[in-house]
């Protein structure tokens, strides 16, 4: 895995790609690209004499500055938890109002094209009429299976219908806790009316529970017979119409007894035999061997509803059932990819290559296309025509993280300085110089790869071409040979034609009664004293260029003069919050080192000054207004860090009222819960964006604070929202301080504008993320950090060409932490196809889910949640039905056939459908939903992947001395063994589940108590004990936290304890208490939907 190891050059664009000796940067010293270094790529000084095609030796060029210290490592000194490269962000999109939930079939015209050019490494199955190989055939005996075994659903319909029962749930976690701090020991009042008697399942040994389905020795009798009865039109549309969104299942009576059952219930299809390692019953190691007959499938949830099954006349129930081990397993897919693709570097020279999964550790070598850490696509092979795209219904989207932090062994983008002439661009479409531009006429002109315009090459950029038509200095210039690089921007790219000043950070602290009482203010002020030494800085800079300022507030605002010449800080109170102004300019924004004594004095005094406050009311909009005005007065961009505790009810602009109403759930008005209460917040956000003022909001609510409204400004300005419900210093300080340290230190690009250009035939039509848009093409970001992604959807506006493929270029103009104006460019070339099979062979399900979740989460702002869920289900069914119809070999209707690289689409989509935003449980508050909704909107693919399908790691299965992370098991209760301990994480939450029969020695080693019963439920810190198991588990927890952008607080859950209900919420393959379907049931339902589409 050595970055520098030489890799056989892959001919990307038809030419050999030398390894770039000259570009080897000193291995990332911990600096993220944006902070980049400072050594700009040497400006070009005239034609290079006699350049030979040999790979440049990196000679004359100053070593690309190895980037500035990555925010992460360098500053780790502060003791904060190290963080991984993936972060989360916050969110929301531009003018959401414009977006409607209607997306039907594709929509635009397409064209057709030529012959495939790029090679397709990965999935090689031949496509042809009957390409049996590539498909995953899972013989889901359709609905019959489930109907035969599972009791009919309650009339209310749990599945996808509105979970009617939900609201009735009695209690609820008062302060709610999934996303906030969870009050320990709280019982979960969730009603169990829906039949979850299974909670007391004493024996959880996986093997015994699952299904009774006996794996066929070989494909067994898979009979034609089944087709008969199952044919569309015949058995379907039966009486079971109780569930509107569900296709009813075949009425039993329609099937002649004898035949009907055999088919579906018979032995599983030969799917195992087809090169489907993933389907082997034993894939999960400890689980899954042959299962014994199981009368009661899904014991944990006996009452699992099926989709429309009908009790009907008594029939002989075959004791067989769909075997959970026989359906596609996320764990297996992840493991296979790790084994197959984690060993070789991913070299980006080949067009249209599908990268390894986000769950695989791999090294990237940039040879002309942007790293998947910057851009991931739903498909790397785009249909040539809009008709094809419409038919397939596969969304064409790219998830872009322009400032992604790279791992230490990958180089940050080189900075290219073209001097006063600035970056070279196409005269017509303004695309930036990139490896795909074609030089012609001996090098005197170049043809734009995006719009085909012929441009003159400026004299100072002229270079000769070699016999292949490539510039001889191509490998010497990042912009001619790499997928990602930066240009230093000229003054033309700056606001008001003036180079920017360094940005500023303003800390705005709520000092009302609640903030003081909880100890928050004291904790925060103490922390800031040391944290200010770790503000982001560039390259080798000794100190950060960022200036700081301080404001405290409740109903009024207090500004502080911390000028270095003062002996003590001075406070100025502004009580006229209706017409906010900044009372001082000189002395408000200062250099930390120069004013250190005054700042320290101020931070010492703040907690004392307000110690006896009785003021409970706060304002909010005036606070942001003040910060923004201060930046405006100082003529700089910057970030406001707001620490806020309550619903702003004080008389002032943006005053809010408590409008939380759970009765709206599942009504047409549910969307109002996600919409801001007043337009004042959007208006303010627009002003902030214009000023380059980004807001990071830290919330510490004891009750409803209307996150949907308060998060509007952070979302539209590219900021982040953090929420610590029922904050208490003793329980939550570690989490809060870890998040704060990371947030303050991370590298940010300010006052940014992003534009995505595409080659002729497709164009960017829709955007998702935390930003603002005032027109249809420019994504405006007051701030953008390395955790945030922008998802872009494309549509055809013309026919694409197989030979030339499709190109994307993402250009981000931003101001660095030191005040340097830069352009970061990412290029990506995709293949185009005339065969649907090529599309289906080059999709990336994790990215598809990222897009679909964001699409749905934005949809809830405008449409009933149920309609949003239905749209997703329909789209998924259309995608799979199109594959079945056009790409799979003919087979019986009883078979569910999934494209290999989309075989996890159903399980992942089901996780999205039953997520808290789309199908909330009784314990999920309105604020939690709004919070998660905005978080997901700017998550990257790795984050959505683990967020929707959590990782469940067994801790005592592997040898204690093993140092590798344990292999996860599927997120289902039946995978839990009561003699084991598991960690579950989803990027926001972390649970340690302890089985009731865990060995006493293990209990002692981990908890330092003598028995299971003595373990404190809800514990959030494991005792530090000096034994191998304790060290290993604590080490693993640290490692998991380091991989996530937000600190995950630990919650210890004991089997059969009250808290277990909370934990089970994350076992996403099971039926959920809020009515979400189990994986097996959903797969059956999806199968049915597909068959209906095909009939
Ligand atoms: Zn052009």
């Amino acid at each position: 895995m050595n970055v520098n190891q030489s890799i056989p050059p892959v001919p990307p664009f038809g030419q050999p790609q030398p390894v770039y000796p000259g570009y080897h940067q000193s291995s990332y010293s911990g600096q993220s690209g944006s902070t980049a270094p400072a050594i700009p790529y040497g400006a070009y000084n005239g034609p290079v004499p006699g350049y030979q095609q040999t790979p440049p030796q990196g000679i004359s060029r100053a070593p690309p500055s190895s980037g500035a210290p990555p925010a992460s490592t360098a500053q780790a000194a502060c003791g904060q938890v190290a963080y991984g490269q993936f972060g989360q962000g916050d969110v929301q999109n531009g003018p959401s109002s414009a977006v409607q939930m209607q997306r039907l079939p594709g929509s635009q015209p397409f064209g057709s094209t030529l012959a495939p050019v790029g090679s397709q490494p990965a999935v090689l199955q031949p496509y042809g009429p009957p390409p049996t190989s590539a498909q995953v055939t899972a013989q889901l005996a359709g609905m019959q299976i489930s109907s035969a075994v599972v009791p009919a659903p309650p009339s209310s319909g749990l599945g996808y219908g509105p979970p009617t029962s939900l609201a009735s749930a009695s209690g609820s976690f008062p302060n709610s806790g999934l996303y906030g701090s969870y009050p320990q020991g709280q019982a979960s009042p969730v009603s169990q009316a829906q039949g979850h008697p299974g909670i007391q399942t004493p024996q959880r040994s996986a093997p015994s529970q699952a299904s009774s389905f006996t794996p066929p020795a070989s494909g067994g009798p898979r009979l034609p017979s089944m087709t008969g009865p199952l044919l569309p039109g015949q058995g379907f549309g039966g009486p079971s119409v109780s569930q509107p969104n569900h296709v009813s299942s075949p009425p039993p009576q329609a099937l002649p007894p004898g035949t009907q059952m055999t088919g579906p219930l018979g032995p599983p299809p030969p799917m195992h035999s087809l090169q489907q390692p993933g389907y082997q019953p034993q894939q999960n190691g400890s689980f899954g061997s042959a299962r014994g007959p199981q009368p009661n499938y899904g014991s944990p949830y006996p009452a699992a509803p099926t989709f429309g099954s009908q009790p009907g006349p008594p029939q002989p129930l075959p004791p067989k059932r769909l075997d959970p081990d026989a359906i596609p397993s996320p764990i297996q897919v992840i493991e296979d990819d790790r084994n197959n693709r984690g060993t070789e570097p991913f070299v980006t020279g080949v067009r249209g290559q599908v990268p390894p999964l986000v769950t695989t550790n791999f090294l990237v070598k940039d040879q002309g296309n942007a790293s998947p850490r910057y851009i991931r696509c739903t498909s790397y092979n785009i249909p040539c025509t809009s008709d094809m795209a419409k038919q397939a219904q596969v969304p064409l989207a790219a998830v872009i993280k322009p400032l992604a932090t790279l791992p230490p062994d990958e180089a940050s983008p080189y900075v290219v300085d073209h001097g006063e002439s600035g970056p070279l661009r196409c005269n017509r479409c303004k695309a930036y110089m990139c490896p795909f531009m074609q030089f012609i006429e001996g090098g005197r002109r170049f043809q734009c790869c995006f719009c085909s315009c012929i441009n003159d090459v400026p004299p100072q950029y002229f270079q000769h071409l070699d016999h292949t038509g490539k510039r001889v200095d191509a490998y010497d210039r990042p912009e001619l040979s790499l997928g990602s690089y930066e240009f230093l921007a000229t003054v033309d790219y700056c606001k008001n034609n003036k180079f920017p000043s360094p940005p500023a950070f303003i800390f705005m602290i709520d000092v009302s009664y609640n903030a003081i009482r909880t100890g928050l203010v004291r904790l925060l002020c103490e922390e800031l004293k040391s944290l200010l030494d770790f503000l982001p800085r560039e390259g080798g800079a000794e100190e950060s260029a960022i200036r700081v300022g301080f404001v405290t507030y409740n109903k009024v605002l207090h500004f502080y003069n911390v000028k270095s010449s003062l002996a003590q800080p001075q406070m100025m109170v502004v009580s006229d919050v209706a017409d906010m102004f900044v009372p001082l300019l000189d002395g408000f924004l200062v250099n930390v080192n120069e004013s250190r004594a005054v700042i320290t004095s101020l931070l010492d005094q703040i907690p004392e000054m307000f110690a006896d406050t009785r003021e409970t009311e706060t304002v909010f909009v005036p606070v942001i207004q003040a910060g923004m005005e201060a930046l405006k007065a100082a003529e700089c961009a910057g970030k406001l860090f707001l620490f806020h505790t309550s619903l702003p009810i004080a008389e002032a602009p943006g005053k809010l009222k408590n409008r939380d109403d759970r009765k709206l759930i599942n009504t047409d008005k549910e969307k109002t819960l996600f919409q801001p209460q007043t337009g004042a917040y959007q208006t303010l956000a627009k002003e902030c964006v214009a000023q380059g003022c980004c807001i990071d909001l830290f919330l510490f609510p004891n009750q409803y604070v209307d996150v949907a409204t308060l998060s509007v400004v952070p979302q539209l300005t590219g900021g982040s929202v953090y929420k610590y419900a029922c904050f208490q210093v003793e329980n939550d300080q570690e989490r809060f301080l870890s998040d704060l340290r990371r947030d303050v230190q991370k590298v940010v690009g300010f006052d940014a504008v992003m534009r995505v250009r595409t080659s002729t035939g497709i164009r960017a039509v829709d955007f998702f993320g935390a930003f603002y848009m005032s027109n249809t093409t420019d994504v405006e970001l007051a701030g953008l950090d390395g955790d945030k992604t922008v998802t872009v959807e494309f549509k055809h506006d013309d026919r694409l060409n197989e030979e030339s493929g499709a190109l994307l270029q993402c250009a981000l103009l931003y101001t660095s932490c030191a005040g340097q104006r830069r352009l970061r460019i990412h290029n990506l070339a995709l293949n185009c196809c005339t065969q649907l099979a090529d599309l289906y062979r080059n999709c990336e399900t994790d990215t598809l889910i990222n897009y679909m979740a964001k699409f749905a989460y934005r949809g809830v702002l405008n449409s009933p949640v149920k309609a949003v869920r239905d749209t997703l289900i329909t789209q998924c069914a259309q995608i799979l039905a199109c594959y079945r119809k056009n790409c799979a070999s003919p087979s019986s209707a009883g078979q569910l056939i999934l494209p290999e690289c989309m075989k996890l689409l159903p399980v992942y989509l089901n996780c999205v459908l039953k997520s808290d935003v789309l199908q909330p449980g009784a314990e999920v508050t309105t604020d939690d939903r709004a919070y998660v909704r905005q978080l997901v909107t700017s998550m990257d693919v790795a984050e959505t992947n683990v967020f929707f399908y959590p990782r469940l790691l067994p801790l005592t299965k592997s040898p204690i001395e093993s140092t590798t992370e344990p292999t996860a098991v599927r997120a289902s209760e039946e995978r839990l063994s009561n003699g084991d301990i598991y960690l579950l994480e989803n990027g926001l939450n972390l649970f340690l589940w302890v089985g009731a029969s865990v060995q006493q020695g293990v209990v002692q080693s981990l908890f330092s108590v003598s028995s299971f019963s003595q373990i404190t439920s809800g514990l959030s810190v494991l005792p530090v004990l000096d034994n191998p198991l304790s060290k290993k588990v604590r080490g693993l927890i640290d490692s998991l936290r380091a991989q996530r952008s937000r600190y995950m607080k630990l919650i210890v859950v004991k089997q059969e304890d009250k808290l277990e209900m909370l934990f089970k919420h994350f076992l996403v393959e099971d039926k959920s208490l809020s009515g979400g379907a189990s994986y097996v049931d959903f797969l059956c339902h999806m199968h049915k939907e597909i068959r209906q589409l095909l009939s």
Side-chain angles (χ1 to χ4, degrees), residues 426 429 448 451:
C426 167
C429 73
C448 177
C451 72

Side-chain angles (χ1 to χ4, degrees), residues 750-876:
F750 293 96
D751 211 1
V753 181
M754 184 180 117
R755 169 81 74 98
V756 177
R757 292 182 172 81
T758 48
S759 54
T760 310
I762 53 168
R763 65 194 161 88
V765 293
D766 204 354
F767 302 83
F768 304 79
F771 52 73
Y772 176 75
M773 290 184 79
S774 55
N775 58 43
T776 55
T777 54
D778 295 320
V779 174
E780 298 174 46
L781 301 125
L784 174 68
D785 61 49
D787 296 334
K788 306 276 192 309
T789 59
V790 175
T791 294
V792 183
E793 186 186 6
F794 302 95
K795 287 269 166 69
H796 287 73
D797 55 11
D798 201 348
R799 151 181 311 234
L800 296 171
N801 181 309
E802 268 182 310
E803 189 176 6
S804 50
L807 305 176
L808 313 180
Q809 182 178 79
C810 165
L812 178 81
L813 174 65
Y814 71 99
T815 300
S816 74
C817 291
Q820 197 173 51
R821 200 71 173 151
R822 298 204 187 128
L823 278 152
R824 180 171 290 202
I825 312 294
H826 297 297
N827 301 291
L828 185 64
L830 302 172
N831 285 331
C832 297
C833 60
T834 53
Q835 297 295 321
L836 282 167
D838 290 328
L839 165 67
Y840 284 99
R841 270 202 291 267
N842 292 282
C843 284
E844 231 237 316
T845 296
D846 294 331
T847 306
L848 211 47
I849 288 294
N850 179 283
Y851 167 84
M852 292 173 91
K854 289 173 180 175
F855 178 79
Y857 280 22
R858 183 174 67 188
V860 300
L861 286 171
N862 303 301
S863 307
V865 173
K866 180 181 171 303
V868 172
R869 288 199 305 260
D870 289 348
T871 302
L872 288 185
I873 293 172
T874 304
Q875 184 169 20
C876 180

Side-chain angles (χ1 to χ4, degrees), residues 517-690:
R517 181 187 56 83
T518 57
L520 168 65
V521 174
R522 186 173 298 278
L523 177 71
L524 173 60
C525 289
E526 196 55 40
E527 177 65 24
L528 285 180
K529 283 194 261 177
S530 52
L531 187 53
L532 294 179
D533 286 332
F534 298 92
L535 299 180
R537 68 186 96 175
E538 298 225 276
E542 291 221 342
E543 62 174 28
S544 174
I546 292 173
R547 289 168 297 163
V548 299
F550 303 87
V551 170
T552 57
Y553 67 93
N554 39 47
K555 273 165 69 171
V556 299
L557 277 73
H558 324 102
F559 292 79
Y560 298 92
N561 185 338
V562 285
K563 198 170 176 176
S564 60
S565 56
L566 295 174
Q568 285 294 318
Q570 296 172 342
M571 179 202 274
M572 285 173 210
V573 180
V574 174
S575 50
D576 182 8
V577 292
D579 185 19
M580 188 46 62
F581 69 99
V582 180
L584 79 165
L585 295 180
D586 187 34
F588 180 64
L589 293 177
V590 299
N591 171 288
V592 174
N593 285 333
E594 288 169 9
S595 292
R596 180 173 305 275
V598 194
I599 292 174
T600 301
S601 171
L602 171 66
L603 292 171
D604 281 336
Q605 290 179 45
I606 289 176
E608 307 306 328
M609 282 190 285
F610 300 97
D612 300 321
T613 186
R614 291 279 149 229
E615 184 55 69
T616 56
E617 295 189 358
T618 57
V619 294
F620 188 85
V621 163
V623 181
I624 293 178
Q625 181 94 35
M628 189 260 297
E629 295 288 350
L631 294 179
K632 190 183 284 181
E635 298 185 325
C636 67
K639 194 190 255 198
L640 312 183
F641 296 82
L642 220 65
F643 304 89
H644 190 82
T645 60
S646 57
L647 193 67
I649 53 172
E651 204 52 57
K655 173 185 175 180
L656 299 179
K657 57 178 188 289
N658 186 332
R659 47 134 190 187
D660 186 17
D661 185 359
R662 296 183 58 84
K663 289 196 292 294
L664 297 182
I665 294 175
N666 289 319
T667 70
D668 284 350
K669 288 188 177 160
E670 183 170 2
K671 61 189 176 192
T672 61
L673 297 176
F674 298 109
Q675 295 166 345
Q677 204 174 128
T678 124
Y681 289 75
Q682 276 133 319
T683 307
L684 175 63
K686 262 185 243 181
E687 292 178 50
C688 288
V689 171

Side-chain angles (χ1 to χ4, degrees), residues 173 178 182 185-188 190 192 198-202 204 301 923 973 976-978 982 984 991-996 1012 1017-1018 1051-1067 1073:
F173 301 91
L178 294 188
Y182 185 81
Q186 200 152 23
S188 148
V190 178
Q192 305 197 358
I199 296 172
Q200 62 271 58
T201 51
R204 238 139 254 198
Y301 301 115
E923 78 288 0
E973 185 170 5
L976 299 172
S977 150
N978 60 1
Y982 299 80
L984 180 146
F991 294 92
L992 181 71
W993 183 89
V994 187
F1012 175 79
S1017 173
I1051 299 179
V1052 173
V1053 173
K1054 295 162 69 177
Q1055 183 175 12
E1056 294 177 37
D1057 181 83
K1058 290 173 291 187
L1059 272 181
E1060 199 185 23
M1061 197 69 69
L1062 189 61
F1063 170 77
K1064 286 181 181 172
H1065 180 76
F1066 297 93
L1067 299 178
L1073 289 178

Side-chain angles (χ1 to χ4, degrees), residues 872-905:
L872 288 185
I873 293 172
T874 304
Q875 184 169 20
C876 180
Q878 285 171 331
I879 291 171
L880 298 175
C882 174
Y883 174 80
R884 171 66 183 255
K885 184 176 176 188
N886 299 287
C887 309
S889 56
S891 55
S892 85
Q895 275 188 312
L896 171 61
I897 301 181
L898 303 170
E900 175 64 22
C901 58
M902 281 191 196
K903 64 186 178 186
L904 298 180
L905 188 60

